[in-house]
Amino acid sequence: MELLNFNKANCKHCYKCLRVCPVKAIKFKNDQASIVEERCIACGHCFIACPQNARKVKSDLNDIKEAIKEKRRIVATVAPSFVGSFSTDFAEKIVTVLKKLGIDYVEETAVGADIVANLYKKKLKEKNYKNIITTCCPSANFLIEKYFPSLTKYMFPIVSPMIAHGKLIKRVYGMDTFVIFIGPCISKKVEAKEAQHDDVIDAVMTFEELKEWVYESQLDIDNMEYTPFDRSSTERGRNFPLKGGVLGSFLDDHIRSKYDVMNIDGIDECIDMLNTLMKDDTEGLCVELNACREGCINGPGVPKDSLGKYERKRIVKRYVNYENENFTTDEIDIPEDIDFGKVFVDKSFYRPKADEATIQSILRSIDKFTPEDELNCGACGYSTCREKVQAVYEGMAEKSMCMPYMKSRAERLSNHIFESSPNAIFVVDEDLKVVEFNKVCEKIFNIKSGEIMGKPISVILDDEIFRKVIETQDNIILQKVYYKEYGMLFLQNIILIEKENALLVIMTDITDEEKSKEELVKIKENALQAAQDVIEKQMRVAQEIAGLLGETTAETKVVLTKLKELVLKDGDVK
């Protein structure tokens, strides 16, 4: 099931998504970005970075609406970072809002966090670990399973607060209960579909999706009353979304004396820590890993128009320490017959390795012949040219993604067209000074480019028409212009290059063509005159023949009449 990807045709080849992707799980083919699921850790950083907002995240909203329509028992578990993700009024009334939308019960995921904290403490009492890695962040878990699978032995084999709370909800409200998780994390959508616990969470909704649903429903939040959560949470559980909140929930002085405790946030920092844990001599580390900087308060599912992350952090801190009827100091009872265990497995994938000969061949194909040609500019999204070449070999990248190569290629093509064109081509800047001048221009205007470069075009041509284009911003296309001083007729195109406020002028010599046309016109005129003369002569001959025929006929008529009279006089004929 495809949960996360990019919309097709939205990609503008900026490679920003690839630059922020810590594991390079984004593939480019035919200039379209797509997420490779087996490589992805679902951190969502690429979606935040994409300037085209091309993200395509599977929404469970239709499933939720269908459950409401079917009148199923629906329970929402809300991540405690909600207080910093919405306006104060919205956050204070979130329980009321959700119930107005059709949800029957609303609890905080902090309940599940409290269960996890207790299980962590219990595990540490049962067994000594060389190193410890907490497992509340799904993206950090995916990172280890896919890219550092040998470190799964250090991962606490406990489910996340979302899964723990979901299991408890199913027990309390019934196994047929429809459970919705609402939080700031996109990776929860992937975690909820994992085979080990795919029957616990029925739908996942980000805070951003919830906000859109509320606005779509046109709820009058201003006139709503405050409603408490249906189950009280603890200070310890509410602290989970903050950096270090997981470790702070279960570590005591005894444990701290045995381990170096470290709170790591941000994928790059997590990778650095995991590389440290890969060393055989590393021991005594207790590490909390968070994919997002400052923890879950800064997840990719936070609404775009929410407060800054540090302001959100302050609000969540205040909420953690705020005591009211919705807060309890009692520990959550953990049903012993519910399995809160989690097995972390090797999810690594095969990556073909290019040999040196192949690397050199690909490098040469993008004009990188020496080490000096390998600029390692990072514009393509990869740190080095060789890393990009390896991606090309794996089918994850395209050669055309190299910006210096494509720029050089475009310049070569442009120069070839400019120099080999049979047309006169030149470019003038906004002051009508020549900045480009090809060889055809040199021949036509009898001046070397070095002599005209940087000088006004008026040195060789009347600049009135060029000045007009600059002023009106209107291009001139296929205009016939006769330059008397050169005795030549041109088909002239003057094109405004807006960004540079310069003019590209392309002039096609049509002098000979026009002469040929004039000669053809003369030939046609002569032919018409000759034809007219022939017609007139024929008419005269016809008239003369007609006249002669008329005279002969008259004479014949006279002779025949006389002959008739003679015959009648003889009396032989009656």
Side-chain angles (χ1 to χ4, degrees), residues 210-226:
L210 172 59
K211 189 170 184 177
E212 291 173 358
W213 184 21
V214 170
Y215 286 153
E216 172 193 308
S217 302
Q218 298 182 329
L219 294 179
D220 184 7
I221 298 174
D222 293 337
N223 294 317
M224 289 183 183
E225 298 293 330
Y226 165 79

Side-chain angles (χ1 to χ4, degrees), residues 82-94 221 226 307 311 315 318:
F82 76 90
V83 291
S85 298
F86 300 106
S87 64
T88 302
D89 198 41
F90 192 141
E92 286 181 350
K93 299 173 182 176
I94 191 167
I221 298 174
Y226 165 79
L307 299 170
E311 185 64 20
I315 293 172
R318 287 201 298 267

